Structure formats: structure tokens, C-alpha cells
Amino acid sequence: MNAPLSDSLAARVERHLLHTVGVAPADAGPLALMTAVSQAARAELSRRWVATDASDRALKARRVCYLSMEFLIGRSLGNALDALGLNEAAEGSVGSHARQLEDIESREPDAALGNGGLGRLAACFLDSMAALGLPSYGYGIRYEFGMFAQRIVGGRQVEQPDPWLEDGTPWEFPRPDVHYPVRFGGWVERPESPDAQPVWRHAGEVSAKAYDHVIPGHGTERVSTLRLWKAAAPAHIDLAAFNSGDYARAAEFKNQFENISWVLYPNDSTPAGRELRLKQEYFFTSASIQDIVARHRAEHGRLSNLADKVAIHLNDTHPAIGVAELMRLLVDEHGVSWAAAWDITRRTFSYTNHTLMPEALETWPVSLMQQVLPRHLEIIFRINAELMALAQATRPGDVDFMRRLSLIDETGERRVRMANLSIVGSHTVNGVSKLHSDLLVETIFKDFTVLWPDRFTNMTNGITPRRWLAQANPGLSALLDARIGTGWRRDLMQLQRLKPLAEDAAFRAEFRAIKRANKQRLAALIERTTGVVVSPDSLFDVQVKRIHEYKRQLLNVLQVVHRYQAILANPDAPVVPRVVVFAGKAASSYHTAKSIIRLIHDVGAVINRDPRVGDRLKLVFIPNYGVSVAETIMPAADLSEQISTAGTEASGTGNMKLALNGALTIGTDDGANIEIRQAVGDDNIFIFGQLTHEVTALRAAGYQPMRIADGDPALQAVLDSIAAGAFNPDEPARYRGLIDSLLWGGDHYLLLADFAAYVAAQARVDALYRDAEAWSHKAVLNVAGMGGFSSDRTIREYAERIWRVAGQA
Ligand SMILES: *Cc1c(COP(=O)(O)O)cnc(C)c1O
């Protein structure tokens, strides 16, 4: 078994070219080489997967199963080679074909099975679960089409399909013998005998088929598994239609089932397709829980000890229906009593909340759930009846208390509250930064703390240093290896050893040279994708994340326009040259976000072409933000924009990637920015703006944005120029609505309230950047302070305090 793997990687690559890809090695192009190198890595990962699985089975290990609608993985080849220690061998192998490894790796399409932070978090977590040797599974959907590809046409976002599987992927292992039926619709039959279980007479059924991705562990032979489900029409396809020559109908019949795993929904999607989205959620959750139960029965022969052997984690509420599904499986299919089943369920699940914004909490109309999942709705009603009894016993007669806790929202159209279901069905609920977790129990989940004060906790997010430092920033990694050793990859706290080096001028010079090389690489990407030429000697100021009003890209644009006006008004004043970089996707139905993308392009087109400005200010928007684009941007940033309205960003992880790569943060006191400030020191970060409680107070007191604009001529000039169409004379009224929403529409995210403080903070940024030594001193201290933001730390906390799962050697 080992023999064919023990020969050189180069020999294996040549064999794969010939046997797997089917080309003469001498004729192999970059795509063929990418496939062959991937196949060679896959073979080694396969061996590791088999060994890990055998060991976990032999030990009957307690496992964690991480259910997530999204896994934003990106590319796999570079990560696999890194984990397998095959980087140099691979360079040699492709070098013998006169190719560069970086170029070969860039031929792999991103696996973009997620929208943004939530999905990328799940991918970082898998990496850490593998590195820590946790017996673990990620569970999700094998979307045929991932997150849309973003093109910019005439300054506007155009969404294009992302057929990432079109040419196949070397990274998945189809498991044709692992499949489960997932049922929908129909009705529930009540048996005559009161002891018999109700029977769900479903109306439709699809088959969920398993496809595994092996997740390599860095510094360990152990791996983790990402099991993704594909929907397949049941075997009994409409043969009658097919045989009668009606192929269109036969195909339509098949599609009606298989479309469940076709597309990833943008998370601010339209109501159209909502039924399909509910079906997606149930589809992958049901398949995953059936898989967990089947594995457990095979290993233990009984279900009574399920909670002792499995931890099931809900990444947000998308898999929350799993609470009802496990109850259904236990009670209806395995004859467990309701009380025993509830005890097992509640000891098995845990749940992470990702948002405080009430409008972002997931609910489903009772009528839709009745139609799609009638038995689950019954189970939810019964859970709710018990919850209401507990509420009544705790606060007799407090009807409002009951109304707020209820799993059913009774105002207007009755809806099922998935967050409430997740809380009731879990033993532990966590937020994703200290501030967010505190706010959860003070605001939206306050009533639940009356019932279960110990259920709520915090797990501050983290990022994997393997992808976001070792792979993305080879220059800085090599410097770290030389100066503090290589151990930081698996123990990021070792970055603290950099602290004294911040005082070392020679070290700072090396650090600056690496940053400059990374900026050159980003400048090349900017020129290739936007046509704009930027100077790597400028300050690179980046705001890269999904486009959303609460993240306040518009506030940044206001600041850029102000900067532009200041340059024109004071042409001889010295200024720090800046390149302002945006990247991010807007949900396809989110008009305001799309309008902000267009505004960035309109403003950029005017500034970038204005000869009076030159290199002093450039504004660019890099299209198609995703993991691979982020890997080029993060190492090249000087300044990290994290400017959400205080109290709105649950954590953020982009902030962590940027600081880890030596960018200084300009940000609000929000989410994980607060913990970054504490870790790197108040002197090494630019914090500005209203605090969370001030935001609350300001809104309560009757916030008047117009008064702020009236009192600030600079702000007034910025708003006037955009509203008057200074950047889009072809259609001057284009952004009237956007500006009106600030002045007249209440400015919900308080851009105007924070504008002056933001501009002042930016002036402090400029002043510091003029002093290159002082700037790089702080940048080094940022890297040194970021050790606590490794997802290894986060996953260790989850494993110890929530999942009680131990790492295996
Ligand atoms: C890290 C990351 C995010 C999250 O960024 P935030 O700034 O925390 O919103 C989104 N998308 C991609 C591709 C990422 O890598």
C-alpha cells in the first residue's frame, strides 16, 4: 500500500499525467499539471483519511459534527501540499516542466460554497479541527453552483454562475454507498391506538448522496472530513414519460428533485425560492443526522448513549430544523420515548449565533412548514407547549414573557423562530466575540437567560494561520521562520516573540521590504483587473468584505470624496499618497449595496483620471472578492478598514487576517475589533466613533442626521457633490436616493454621526504613515499581538467547553 507512494513526488506526478489525466508528460500544460499534482496529493490524503477513520472507529471516539449551510473553502492544492510537506517537491516537479507552482495552483477554481464570513469561519474551523486531531465531520451541501462570480460592467455588478465542478474536482471522494432518503410534504396520520406513533405520509422523496472532501491537518497525519450532500432523484424516475419519448418531462421530473443542491443562495435573497431554501436546509440537515445516527448505531448498537458520543453543532440557525429531525428519528423511527428523546437531543446540540440584528434572524411561515415538513411542525408545537408551560411556571401570568420566548411568532402571519428553536434544543449557545456575546444576553436572548442562565457563553472567532499567513504571505512567513522559528504555524502565541524585534531597525527594514513586495503583487492584480496603475509606495488602505449598509462602505466613500476635495482645495499641501481598495459582493437583490458599488466606480473614475490628483489618491474596486482574491489582498494592506456601526458586526474575521499580516486597523469599537485593540495595544490601532451604548442612546434620543450635516461644512460639501451628480454627470440624480436616505431617511447606521471622528482618525493615520519607522514598529506589534486569534485557540475552546471532544494523536 505504501510502496507506490514512497517514490518521489515527481515520479508520481508523471504517472498521474499518463494514467489519470491521459496526456504525454512532455505535452502537459498547466491545467494537466494542476490535476496530476492534485492527484498525487489526494492519494496521500486518502491514505491518511483511511487511517484516521480506522483509528476513530477502533477507539469509538466521541466526535463533533459541524453542520453548516456554507463552507467557503477556496483552493485546496496549496493547502494540501503545505500540510503534506510536499511544497518543495511539487516546485521541483512542475519546475521540470518549466512551470511555476504558483501559476499551477492558480488554475484551480475556488470552492466558493459560502457567502462570506460565516462560511469562511466554517472552513477555518475544519482546518483547526484537523490540526488539533479532533474526531470531526463537517456537513454541508455540494452546491453545483457556488457563490456567484462578480463581474463589473459599466461600474455595475453583474452576477454570473459559478460552475466550479464543470471540469470535475480532484478533491472529492464520491461515496456511492452512503445515501439517505430525505422526504417532504404530505400529511401526518394519527393512529387509532394512543400508544402507536404518528406516521408521516410524505409526498416526495429525494436521495442525498455523500461526497467527501478530506481536510488535511497541518503538523499531524490526522485529517478531518467534510461530507457534502448532493440531491439525486429517487431511482424510480418517470420512466413512463421517458419511454413514451417525452424526454423533456422525464428531465423536468429529475430536475424537480435535483435542484435542491444546485445553487447557493445569497444570504439577502428574494422571497422567490424561499421554499427551495427551506428544502435545502432540511435536506442537508436530515441527511447529516441520519448519517450520524447510522454511524452511531453501527458503532454502539444503541441510541441511548448518543449524546455521550456525538456533539452536533449548529453554525447559525440554517440547520436548526435538526432539533426536530433528531426528535423525529428517535421517537418515530426508533421508538424512543418523547422524554428520553428530548433529553438526548438537548444534550447533543449546541448553537452559534452570528447576528444581533432582529431582521436577520431566520423565521419560516408556519403555513410553509406545514406544507413542506408537517411532522416537524407538530414536533415544534409540542416542544413549544413544554416551553410555554415552563415559562408560565417561571413567571406566572406574564403573557409578554411567554410571547417573546415562544417558538412561534404570533404577530401577523404566524412564523417559526429558528433561533428560539436552536436555543431550546441546545445545551450551549455562543456568540462570536465578547461584545456580541454580552449583547446577546442583554438584548435579543435576554428572556432565555431567565430560564437557563448558564446556557450562554462566548467563543471569539479565529482564523487559520496556515492559510492566512503561511500560504498567503510566504515572504513574511520566511522572515518569521528565520527569526522566531517555525512553531507559530501550530502555536500562534509564539508570535509574541516578535515583540522585541519591533525595536530592531534592521528587522523593521526587512519587514517593510516584504510588505512592499506584497504591495507590488497586489498592484499587478489591480492593474490586471481594473486597468488602474497604482504605486506600491502609496499607503494601501483596504476595505474588503461583503457590501452591506452596516459595514458602512459608504462612510469610507464619503471620506474619500472629502480627501479628493481637500487635495483640490489645497493643491500644494503635502499629502500621504493613498490607494483606497474596495472589494466585495452585494447580494443580487440588495439594491442599496449595488448602488454603493456603482458609486465607488463613479467616484473612482473621476479621481483616477484627474491630472490634478495624480498618485496622491487612487480609488479601485477589485472584482470578484473571494478567498483567493483575499489571499493576495491581506498581505499587501497597510490599513484595515473595520468601520461598522458599533453593535452591528458580531465579530469580523477579515479584521484578524489583515492585522495578522501587519496592517494597522482603523475601526469602531465593535465586534472583535475590541479584542484586537486589547491584544495589540491602544497605541497601535486607530479606534474612533460612537460606542455601542452611545449608538443606542443616540437613537433613543431622536437622532437628527440633518443637524450634523448642517453643522459640518466639509461633510455638507461631500454630500452635496454626490447628490448633485459631480461623479456621474450623465445621470446626475443617480445617488440622490442614497444621500437622501442619510439626510432624510434617518441614516440608520449613523454614518453622519461618525464622519468627523472618522476623518480625524484618518488624519492620525496619515501623520503616522509619514514616519515609516514608527509605522512599521506598530505594524510589527500588530503581528506580534495576534496569536490569540488563531482558530486553533477558538476550536480548543469549543472542544473543551462545548463539545467535550478530545484531540487524538
Ligand atoms: C474573511 C472573509 C470574509 C469575512 O470578512 P469580514 O471583514 O469579517 O466581513 C468574507 N469573505 C471572504 C472571502 C473572507 O476571506
Side-chain angles (χ1 to χ4, degrees), residues 221-279:
E221 295 252 319
R222 284 186 56 92
V223 299
S224 181
T225 308
L226 172 58
R227 180 157 283 183
L228 300 177
W229 301 104
K230 173 190 159 83
H236 42 88
I237 187 172
D238 194 346
L239 262 184
F242 192 87
N243 289 337
S244 68
D246 192 349
Y247 303 128
R249 236 196 75 207
E252 190 191 338
F253 178 85
K254 193 169 152 69
N255 289 350
Q256 176 197 323
F257 296 97
E258 306 201 338
N259 65 7
I260 289 179
S261 57
W262 268 356
V263 293
L264 167 76
Y265 278 97
N267 50 357
D268 296 277
S269 182
T270 50
R274 288 196 44 90
E275 176 177 338
L276 196 51
R277 165 105 184 174
L278 177 62
K279 284 184 169 173

Side-chain angles (χ1 to χ4, degrees), residues 543-661:
Q543 187 171 18
V544 293
K545 47 183 77 249
R546 282 180 305 117
I547 310 296
H548 204 290
E549 285 161 281
Y550 85 81
K551 293 177 182 281
R552 301 202 294 189
Q553 281 94 353
L554 183 54
L555 175 60
N556 193 347
V557 176
L558 299 183
Q559 179 265 148
V560 171
V561 170
H562 171 63
R563 188 169 282 270
Y564 175 56
Q565 293 178 339
I567 290 173
L568 298 187
N570 263 311
D572 300 323
V575 299
V576 173
R578 258 196 210 224
V579 178
V580 179
V581 177
F582 284 95
K585 292 173 181 174
S588 51
S589 58
Y590 189 173
H591 296 293
T592 304
K594 288 181 141 177
S595 179
I596 292 167
I597 291 178
R598 196 173 189 192
L599 175 63
I600 292 167
H601 282 91
D602 281 342
V603 173
V606 169
I607 293 178
N608 297 340
R609 265 191 238 117
D610 192 329
R612 297 168 295 177
V613 174
D615 266 352
R616 288 185 288 180
L617 182 60
K618 295 282 183 218
L619 171 57
V620 296
F621 186 98
I622 300 175
N624 204 30
Y625 187 57
V627 173
S628 290
V629 172
E631 285 172 33
T632 302
I633 296 176
M634 301 302 176
D638 293 307
L639 187 65
S640 160
E641 299 268 354
Q642 309 298 338
I643 59 175
S644 51
T645 315
T648 61
E649 186 74 89
S651 163
T653 49
N655 46 4
M656 300 171 189
K657 297 166 199 168
L658 285 155
L660 180 63
N661 282 278

